[in-house]
Amino acid sequence: MMHTGTPVAVLGLGLMGSALAGAFLRAGHQTTVWNRTTTKADDLVARGATLAESPAAAIAAAPLVVVCVSDYDAVTAILDGPLDGRVVVNLTSGTPSRARALAEEVVRRGGSYLDGGVMAVPEAIGTADAVLAYSGPRPLYDAHESTLRGLGTGLHLGDDPGLAATHEMATLVLMWGMLDGFLNGAAIVGTAGVSATAYLPIARRAIDTVAGWLPDYARQADNGSYPADDGTIDTHLAAMAHVVEESESLGVNTELPRLVKALAERAANAGHGGSGYVALMEQFRKP
């Protein structure tokens, strides 16, 4: 295989790590891999990757080291040797504070650090549909952007290494909210003999409609101004009460709609009953 571009090392060959290494191989990069269970590297080696005997050997083999393991404790255990001249791109999920601490440690030991979050499923890695968010020094990202582009569409969020983890957490909350809302809705229509598949077209249309509200909602959240352009919180509260009442009568779990209603009630009690829905932002900003 003809290799072009920067040699890379990938540490961690779970579903995502294997997808990352495979994308680098397809892009023509000399790719060294390491995993605690070596058999997970068999397919990648068959496709041209080099299996390192240890994390240290993998780090020594390439100037760009991508880490994707279970947690930050595992990252710390793997990166336990010299890092002189190495650029560590950590795509392991974790907290912003751990990302900042790891960045300091990598720099202290002679390396450079970019933190990242993968906002895609493994099957999408290597395509434009895969979005990977990075944070850390912009010149460092720019220097390796062409190599990282082989993994998908890259977004640089800022010089603070904790920003990628912060955005990942915010996006996970968004994802869980949407998925839980769909599943709760499917449970409600299911009591009428409607399958989740049959409910899907209406759910998708509702998601698209709500997504269209987000630009204006974002401006209101940033400005701290909550006009009732599309209904007041009091109006939403009436509908929320209906959902809770009907869910109880149907024998469907009411925890999610009750939580939503409780947050809206707090906003109304704080004087925002006549405000637009974005006034709930003040509730989310509180401990």
Side-chain angles (χ1 to χ4, degrees), residues 51-213:
L51 176 62
E53 295 183 354
S54 66
I59 292 168
L64 185 65
V65 179
V66 176
V67 185
C68 186
V69 290
S70 57
D71 55 38
Y72 269 64
D73 289 339
V75 176
T76 301
I78 289 171
L79 300 178
D80 64 348
L83 296 172
D84 293 339
R86 294 301 181 266
V87 176
V88 175
V89 180
N90 181 29
L91 298 180
T92 303
S93 294
T95 65
S97 60
R98 293 292 299 268
R100 295 182 184 108
L102 182 58
E104 292 178 358
E105 177 64 15
V106 168
V107 171
R108 187 184 69 79
R109 287 159 52 196
S112 303
Y113 183 87
L114 288 173
D115 200 75
V118 182
M119 301 180 185
V121 296
E123 292 78 9
I125 296 298
T127 73
D129 291 336
V131 176
L132 294 91
Y134 302 95
S135 57
R138 180 70 199 224
L140 186 64
Y141 172 76
D142 288 343
H144 296 280
E145 191 274 336
S146 60
T147 300
L148 296 173
R149 193 186 306 141
L151 302 179
T153 301
L155 299 175
H156 184 262
L157 301 175
D159 291 341
D160 175 2
L163 283 173
T166 299
H167 281 73
E168 182 179 26
M169 288 186 171
T171 304
L172 286 171
V173 170
L174 176 65
M175 177 189 73
W176 291 326
M178 181 172 63
L179 292 176
D180 286 351
F182 170 73
L183 296 173
N184 197 160
I188 290 173
V189 299
T191 64
V194 179
S195 69
T197 301
Y199 169 54
L200 185 57
I202 290 179
R204 278 181 167 167
R205 186 177 292 274
I207 289 170
D208 289 343
T209 298
V210 172
W213 299 345

